[in-house]
Amino acid sequence: MIASVKGGLALFLALLPLYCLVFHSSPLQKEMSPEPLYVSKNASKAALDNALALWGNQAYLAAYQTLKTINPVDQPLVSLYQPYIDDYLAKGQNSKWERDQQGAYPSSCKQKLLFVTGELQSLPQANQFKQRLLEDKRLRNLPICAHRLTFFDPDTVLCQRDWLGRGRLGCDLLPLAKHLKDIDFTHLVMLADGGKANVHNGIMFLDKQDTYDVFVHELAHFSGFIDEYPLSAALAERVCAGVDAPNLVFKQVGAKSTLTAKVLARTCDNHTAQAYKASNKLTFMEYHDTAYIPPQYLRAWSALLTAAPQHPSAHLNFAQLYEEAGNHADSQYWRAQYQQYLKGI
């Protein structure tokens, strides 16, 4: 009898840890969430494509749920998309900005770029451009900086490839403007689905197919550089009359001048004036994929950026749009921002 009791006690003591583990797990164990059920590595690319397609079709919750099935180790872009999606679905699109505004740029920055998009697939493009800008040895002495975050909101960043029938990419900026009032920037880089790249005052418009070289070409337009390929007749009429440009000089037919630039440029092929450039090589302003920026262009670019601003910031775009809309209060706000920019404040 004693032996039987001892045997039962021994069995009970042996099973007690298992009983406690199964039926009396610790509070910490209860709080631990189960391991996520990821799709296989082979299926992760298809799942990511599906999530992006769902997002593009405004099935935002389904896209979010699909993205949750993908291991970020298998598809690193998941880690880039997730915070922006989380913020958007939580209706806190701007919550990141409040905690990331301080120290967004070094004090030496004269041109502060804010990347903006309503396209989820443009976020990697923005990240790549910002990283390459940091690493670009050609531009390392230029006081140009990019905000570490990209402003993302598919509800307010609405773009079209043929904006207002002008044959170029453009975006509806007024719904966006109110979200940018407390953000430190001087110029915007708008990334959209498709359309012809261009710059208007302090805003650059790029699409998904545009490369980093296109970005640098358009970036030079912010500082007054003019294209060295033939301009359209309408644009040449305005430019070739003799605008100030760091890369070109213009001579009207029959006019006398002492030109320092002797190399013919094709800029004014559709105009009676002749354009001249300082470099005898193909430059990034004629063929962006050439990527060659002459030293004298870089010196002029740097001098323009370090001197008092001579070319518009994005604040002027907003001021003009609000004026056209008859909203004088907001127009005055952005005019004041523009004046501060001109004063270097």
Side-chain angles (χ1 to χ4, degrees):
M1 181 69 177
I2 294 175
S4 175
V5 170
K6 287 183 177 179
L9 182 60
L11 180 61
F12 172 77
L13 292 174
L15 293 175
L16 183 59
L18 181 60
Y19 172 85
C20 292
L21 181 65
V22 174
F23 295 103
H24 295 279
S25 58
S26 69
L28 178 62
Q29 289 171 321
K30 287 181 179 179
E31 291 175 6
M32 288 176 63
S33 58
E35 287 294 321
L37 297 176
Y38 292 136
V39 296
S40 68
K41 184 174 183 178
N42 291 337
S44 63
K45 179 61 169 64
L48 181 57
D49 290 342
N50 184 37
L52 293 174
L54 288 167
W55 189 272
N57 290 324
Q58 299 182 332
Y60 298 138
L61 186 57
Y64 169 82
Q65 292 170 339
T66 302
L67 210 66
K68 284 292 189 182
T69 69
I70 305 169
N71 190 335
V73 174
D74 298 334
Q75 296 295 331
L77 283 178
V78 170
S79 296
L80 171 62
Y81 295 138
Q82 200 67 59
Y84 288 98
I85 289 178
D86 288 345
D87 256 19
Y88 176 76
L89 292 179
K91 297 301 179 186
Q93 297 97 316
N94 302 313
S95 63
K96 295 188 191 69
W97 298 95
E98 294 178 3
R99 61 179 180 267
D100 281 294
Q101 272 301 292
Q102 298 301 319
Y105 309 99
S107 59
S108 60
C109 296
K110 299 295 184 180
Q111 202 170 84
K112 303 173 182 179
L113 308 179
L114 175 63
F115 285 74
V116 177
T117 187
E119 301 279 338
L120 195 62
Q121 287 172 285
S122 292
L123 291 172
Q125 183 185 23
N127 266 25
Q128 182 201 47
F129 287 3
K130 285 186 279 188
Q131 186 60 38
R132 289 194 62 180
L133 182 63
L134 283 173
E135 299 169 352
D136 195 329
K137 294 180 180 179
R138 300 170 303 169
L139 309 182
R140 62 187 171 190
N141 293 323
L142 300 182
I144 301 174
C145 305
H147 200 294
R148 57 178 163 262
L149 291 176
T150 300
F151 186 91
F152 170 77
D153 187 349
D155 288 337
T156 60
V157 185
L158 306 175
C159 304
Q160 295 176 356
R161 65 173 56 248
D162 185 19
W163 185 252
L164 301 179
R166 296 171 181 167
R168 294 188 171 196
L169 176 61
C171 303
D172 188 4
L173 296 173
L174 287 187
L176 172 66
K178 64 182 179 181
H179 294 288
L180 303 185
K181 278 191 171 181
D182 297 324
I183 300 175
D184 187 14
F185 69 93
T186 62
H187 294 71
L188 298 184
V189 181
M190 309 285 297
L191 300 172
D193 181 54
K196 185 177 180 181
N198 66 97
V199 161
H200 179 236
N201 288 337
I203 301 182
M204 181 191 308
F205 301 92
L206 299 174
D207 73 9
K208 292 176 185 174
Q209 285 70 47
D210 287 325
T211 64
Y212 175 74
D213 288 331
V214 174
F215 163 69
V216 173
H217 173 101
E218 299 297 332
L219 189 63
H221 285 315
F222 280 157
S223 295
F225 282 77
I226 301 295
D227 294 318
E228 294 173 0
Y229 56 75
L231 301 179
S232 67
L235 185 56
E237 186 66 29
R238 179 167 59 86
V239 170
C240 299
V243 300
D244 289 329
N247 60 319
L248 295 173
V249 291
F250 303 92
K251 180 182 178 182
Q252 304 301 318
V253 174
K256 295 181 179 180
S257 74
T258 55
L259 297 175
T260 57
K262 299 294 186 182
V263 183
L264 294 177
R266 300 190 299 139
T267 302
C268 299
D269 282 3
N270 293 316
H271 192 271
T272 56
Q274 177 59 57
Y276 297 86
K277 59 180 184 174
S279 174
N280 59 3
K281 296 182 180 180
L282 293 177
T283 80
F284 77 127
M285 294 310 297
E286 185 167 6
Y287 295 105
H288 59 78
D289 52 359
T290 300
Y292 174 64
I293 308 178
Q296 57 268 49
Y297 286 26
L298 288 169
R299 288 194 295 270
W301 199 348
S302 179
L304 283 165
L305 288 170
T306 52
Q310 300 178 29
H311 299 93
S313 64
H315 311 120
L316 181 60
N317 293 72
F318 291 134
Q320 291 174 339
L321 285 169
Y322 275 119
E323 284 172 6
E324 293 171 6
N327 184 335
H328 300 294
D330 282 316
S331 175
Q332 289 175 356
Y333 169 84
W334 288 106
R335 282 280 176 190
Q337 295 295 107
Y338 180 48
Q339 290 304 316
Q340 288 186 350
Y341 164 73
L342 292 178
K343 294 175 182 177
I345 299 176

